[in-house]
Amino acid sequence: MTTHVLDDLEARGLVAHSTDRDALRADLSAGPVTYYVGFDPTAPSLHMGNLLQLLTARRLQLAGHKPLILVGGSTGLIGDPRDVGERTMNSRETVADWVGRIRSQVEQYVSFEGDNAARVVNNLDWTKDVNVIDFLRDIGKHFPVNRMLDRQVVASRLETGISYTEFSYVLLQSMDYLELYRRYGTALQTGGSDQWGNITAGVELIRRAEGAKVHALSTPLITKADGTKFGKSTGGALWLDPEMLSPYAFYQTWIQAEDSKVIEYLRQFTFLELEEIEAIAAESAERPGLRIAQRRLAAEVTALVHGQDEVRAAEQASAALFGRAELEDLPESTLRAALTEAGLVTVDPGTPLVDALVVSGLVDSKSAARRAVSDGGAYVNNVRVEDPDAVLDGHTLHGGLVVLRKGKKSVAGAELVKA
RNA sequence: GGCAGGUUGCCCGAGCGGCCAAUGGGAGCUGACUGUAAAUCAGCCGGCAAUGCCUUCGCAGGUUCGAAUCCUGCACCUGCCA
């Protein structure tokens, strides 16, 4: 007998809260359970936090259960209340566009084959024609406002203000769970721990409306060693869309994982067996300098999101740009590929270095570029440049390529081409 | 509705007529050490055609040789009283 999926999830550090653990365990053991996880279109792409939910959904599917992946065509029009304050409402067109993009992203992480094939659903399908009177009578009646006010997000927002629109969000998400229970017998909703309140509200609604007992399971917030949220790359969220964050940049974010966290991330974000992860942990502890765990993590997660070809490209680019090898010794094809991964821009011969640093995106302004130079953190072809007036001309590789670097980790390429 | 106070750079928070692009802390960036890790120490941390110039201290106007600092109006927030 293999490990119970719930034990596996717990061992991987993927369980923050759940409803009655024993009942959930028994139901999961009894046979295929239909479960759902939802994604609201708040951006054109999903990000690392959503990835964790999708991977968790896949783990459950691999254990024989049936996933429903919900895209929030209606909830995305309303907006989940956040501590930071009222959201800006997006237009219906924008939300519809994002729903389409997110739908195609989620399809990559679950299987649509077999007895427990996944299904993608859109909550707009069952909310767009609901009329207000029915909604208030059938759904609203089950929500005591005094209980709603006790929720932490709502309480904090009472200080700064919250619209009726956002206050009502929880009713919509709860209605989704109820609807999916009625349509497909859905008996488990998963999500991030920040969704716990919304998820349990749905459990409660189903209990009141149908007298049925369904389950909820949440994953913990993924943090860095300092306790802050993990999932920011330089300049923004860790997007899954390669147009919004290059596979190289995605790979780099993972390979820079902290020692004290990398093993946790391996358990949470990869499908490696726990015994293998233990072996990697032991090996890393013995020879931390080799960064075995980080390399494996970056390769595994990048493969899941962008595919094996992009892993190879990112690894080769990283090896070329971070390796000990002399840049002059790299074949042009390797160097060009590496710089393309890192971000390659075209500039005129004789372009000032500071301008090239700005154009390449390594710094935000010329002032920042000059600062990088005076800090001793600007490099051209791995040679530190201390002259703030330096220009790019003679010293190129393969007749025109230049490797620009800021500090230890930020690399980009420039190609000198006569205009 | 009345009275009092607040709104400063990514965040917190000093400044209360010129010495203010604006103290300090956090975040961030760079350097040294190292392993594309952590910790520690040091520097940087609005922009530009850069020994100067431009834009910034809620918004709009005004006083003044000169304003983040004073005055008027507006918006939002907080506290006290009804």
Side-chain angles (χ1 to χ4, degrees):
Chain A
M1 190 61 196
T2 51
T3 314
H4 192 285
V5 64
L6 202 51
D7 290 329
D8 183 57
L9 294 179
E10 283 188 23
R12 287 178 183 274
L14 287 170
V15 180
H17 313 276
S18 82
T19 46
D20 189 337
R21 190 86 41 120
D22 296 333
L24 175 59
R25 171 182 299 274
D27 282 355
L28 287 171
S29 299
V33 169
T34 300
Y35 62 98
Y36 106 90
V37 56
F39 301 94
D40 272 0
T42 54
S45 170
L46 296 176
H47 52 70
M48 191 216 79
N50 303 128
L51 176 66
L52 188 72
Q53 301 313 316
L54 287 164
L55 298 180
T56 303
R58 175 152 156 189
R59 291 181 205 283
L60 284 162
Q61 185 177 30
L62 288 172
H65 305 288
K66 185 175 165 57
L68 296 175
I69 309 296
L70 179 147
V71 291
S74 66
T75 35
L77 291 169
I78 301 306
D80 190 18
R82 296 181 293 186
D83 281 340
V84 288
E86 193 77 10
R87 290 175 188 268
T88 308
M89 270 210 268
N90 296 308
S91 74
R92 286 169 185 271
E93 294 72 39
T94 301
V95 172
D97 177 46
W98 291 352
V99 163
R101 291 167 185 269
I102 285 168
R103 173 186 282 268
S104 60
Q105 282 187 330
V106 299
E107 286 171 349
Q108 165 183 352
Y109 298 94
V110 285
S111 166
F112 293 87
E113 309 288 323
D115 292 340
N116 61 335
R119 178 196 289 265
V120 178
V121 296
N122 183 346
N123 56 17
L124 190 61
D125 292 343
W126 57 82
T127 43
K128 64 176 191 288
D129 296 324
V130 170
N131 78 56
V132 183
I133 300 298
D134 289 343
F135 178 74
L136 291 176
R137 288 177 64 92
D138 299 341
I139 304 296
K141 198 69 173 174
H142 295 298
F143 285 80
V145 169
N146 46 328
R147 290 275 299 278
M148 291 172 73
L149 292 174
D150 285 340
R151 292 185 60 206
Q152 196 193 319
V153 215
V154 176
S156 73
R157 286 286 299 281
L158 287 178
E159 301 287 322
T160 54
I162 179 170
S163 67
Y164 187 75
T165 308
E166 288 193 4
F167 181 64
S168 312
Y169 179 92
V170 64
L171 274 74
L172 281 183
Q173 185 168 330
S174 300
M175 189 169 78
D176 288 342
Y177 199 173
L178 177 61
E179 186 67 25
L180 293 174
Y181 170 78
R182 286 175 173 161
R183 288 191 182 198
Y184 307 110
T186 305
L188 170 64
Q189 183 183 176
T190 63
S193 56
D194 59 329
Q195 288 299 307
W196 183 245
N198 287 328
I199 296 172
T200 53
V203 171
E204 179 73 6
L205 175 62
I206 292 172
R207 192 182 65 72
R208 285 172 175 250
E210 299 286 328
K213 192 173 173 189
V214 294
H215 303 287
L217 181 70
S218 74
T219 59
L221 179 70
I222 306 302
T223 58
K224 295 187 291 187
D226 64 6
T228 59
K229 191 172 167 183
F230 178 59
K232 289 261 171 73
S233 72
T234 346
L238 241 193
W239 301 113
L240 305 187
D241 184 340
E243 298 294 312
M244 293 173 69
L245 183 72
S246 75
Y248 169 81
F250 183 87
Y251 177 93
Q252 280 292 319
T253 303
W254 292 98
I255 209 165
Q256 288 166 18
E258 296 149 317
D259 282 7
S260 61
K261 282 288 181 178
V262 67
I263 300 303
E264 271 178 58
Y265 298 157
L266 276 168
R267 285 195 281 257
Q268 292 166 325
F269 288 93
T270 76
F271 288 89
L272 298 179
E273 295 297 333
L274 290 172
E275 301 84 78
E276 186 172 2
I277 293 174
E278 284 316 305
I280 292 171
E283 205 177 343
S284 294
E286 209 164 305
R287 309 179 66 183
L290 295 182
R291 308 174 57 75
I292 294 163
Q294 279 91 342
R295 288 177 205 285
R296 191 61 187 274
L297 175 70
E300 292 288 331
V301 183
T302 304
L304 286 168
V305 176
H306 298 297
Q308 202 55 51
D309 289 350
E310 293 294 351
V311 173
R312 258 190 299 280
E315 282 178 340
Q316 285 170 3
S318 298
L321 299 176
F322 287 90
R324 296 261 186 274
E326 288 297 317
L327 291 172
E328 281 79 3
D329 296 342
L330 292 171
E332 177 172 2
S333 59
T334 304
L335 180 65
R336 184 174 289 276
L339 292 179
T340 301
E341 285 293 315
L344 181 61
V345 296
T346 302
V347 298
D348 295 330
T351 297
L353 172 61
V354 290
D355 290 340
L357 289 170
V358 175
V359 173
S360 70
L362 288 177
V363 296
D364 291 331
S365 68
K366 283 192 194 182
S367 298
R370 289 204 180 81
R371 228 174 276 138
V373 173
S374 64
D375 283 350
Y379 305 81
V380 171
N381 296 334
N382 282 350
V383 178
R384 175 179 289 171
V385 176
E386 293 180 319
D387 175 10
D389 299 318
V391 297
L392 300 181
D393 48 19
H395 305 294
T396 66
L397 306 164
H398 301 294
L401 290 173
V402 171
V403 178
L404 301 173
R405 178 156 63 87
K406 185 195 67 162
K408 280 171 86 174
K409 304 175 193 169
S410 307
V411 183
E415 181 162 24
L416 306 191
V417 177
K418 285 196 177 64

